[in-house]
Structures are given as structure tokens and as C-alpha cells.
Amino acid sequence: LDLPEEMEPRSRYVTGKFYLWKALQLAGGFLFGLAVFWLIPGLRDLSINGGVEGLKTAGLGLITLVSLPVVCIILALTLVGMPFAVVGIISLFVIAGFSKILVAEQVGQMVFAATGQDDSKPLTLLSGLVVVIVAINLPGIGGVISFILTLLGAGLLVQVILDYVSDLGD
């Protein structure tokens, strides 16, 4: 049977709404990233090492993204732990959202290092965000890339937090 034109499935890449949403996502990530990197300039000095170090970072991110909801559920079972569970869930969303921005900064630094140009901080972030947004929207493999970037970014954030806490203890 022939379906009417309005009932035929359309590709999401054909609509202007898709590109408007991605432009808003780029602008929001850029502004949020600039604010965070301005408030915490040490985050720019991070690097994603290849090989075993990169796998350790991704593994740390996986452990964080799996264990944090489990701990929050356990905490939510008690009245005293309920506020901590809410803070934990909010921090999980912040980690998941900021992780791709953190990886985008690293990708932007790699792009500028490969071209041999001096990198300006806003331009580095913007170029990395463009690469990341294009990569996570690739048909077929975009979801896998998004998951891997989230794991890497979450691992980097946890490493920063662990380094900060260990410096406080010294």
C-alpha cells in the first residue's frame, strides 16, 4: 500500500528543527563551558592519554556512572539519606552533561595542536564542540561515540575530584 506523504517516515536530518536544536545545543555548551573553564581554569590542563591510561579513564567513568545511581537508590531508602540521594542524582546529570564539554575542549586542543596554530581558549572550545556534536549525530555510530565520550569525560571529572581531595589530605 502506498502511504500518504505525511505518514512516510522522514529523516531527522531533513528538518530545520533538528539543526536549530543542534545550534542551540552548541551555543549552550559553549557558554556553559566558557563559564566553567573561567571558574576552574585547571580543567584546561587535563589531557586524555591514549592506550592504557585512556582505558583507565573510561573505566573510571563507567564505574562512576553505574555506581552513583545505585548508591543514590540505597540512600533514598532512608529519610536521612534522601537529600544526599537528590544531590547525587543532580550531580549525575551534571557529570553526564559536562563530560562531553570537557572532552570537546580536549578535542579542540588536539585540533589546534595538529594544525600548529596558537589556540585561543574560546575558539578551542568551539571547534571541539563542533567536532563532538557532529560525531555524536553520525547515523549508526553516533550513540556509541556519545557513550564513549561521556565515559571519558566522567572519568576525567572523577580524576580531577580525586586529585583535589587527595591534595586536601596532604
Side-chain angles (χ1 to χ4, degrees):
L1 293 173
D2 289 331
L3 292 175
E5 186 175 315
E6 56 271 349
M7 292 186 69
E8 291 183 15
R10 291 180 53 188
S11 173
R12 66 183 180 154
Y13 302 108
V14 179
T15 64
K17 183 178 169 183
F18 172 78
Y19 294 103
L20 177 64
W21 177 250
K22 293 305 163 191
L24 289 174
Q25 195 176 18
L26 177 67
F30 180 69
L31 293 175
F32 183 72
L34 280 180
V36 170
F37 289 126
W38 179 71
L39 290 171
I40 310 170
L43 288 177
R44 287 190 179 275
D45 300 332
L46 296 175
S47 64
I48 300 173
N49 298 326
V52 175
E53 291 297 319
L55 288 175
K56 284 181 184 178
T57 301
L60 188 58
L62 179 64
I63 290 170
T64 301
L65 294 176
V66 169
S67 64
L68 189 56
V70 171
V71 169
C72 289
I73 289 170
I74 293 170
L75 283 173
L77 296 176
T78 66
L79 189 60
V80 174
M82 186 68 73
F84 296 109
V86 170
V87 169
I89 294 297
I90 291 171
S91 65
L92 179 69
F93 287 124
V94 169
I95 288 171
F98 184 63
S99 62
K100 289 184 189 124
I101 296 171
L102 187 59
V103 172
E105 171 67 25
Q106 302 300 312
V107 169
Q109 288 178 5
M110 289 180 208
V111 166
F112 277 95
T115 59
Q117 298 176 0
D118 292 335
D119 57 338
S120 78
K121 293 176 180 15
L123 196 56
T124 302
L125 178 61
L126 185 63
S127 63
L129 279 170
V130 168
V131 170
V132 166
I133 287 175
V134 167
I136 64 176
N137 286 295
L138 291 173
I141 61 170
V144 174
I145 293 172
S146 178
F147 180 69
I148 291 170
L149 294 180
T150 302
L151 291 181
L152 283 172
L156 283 172
L157 281 173
V158 170
Q159 284 178 343
V160 167
I161 293 168
L162 290 176
D163 288 345
Y164 179 74
V165 170
S166 69
D167 288 344
L168 288 178
D170 293 338

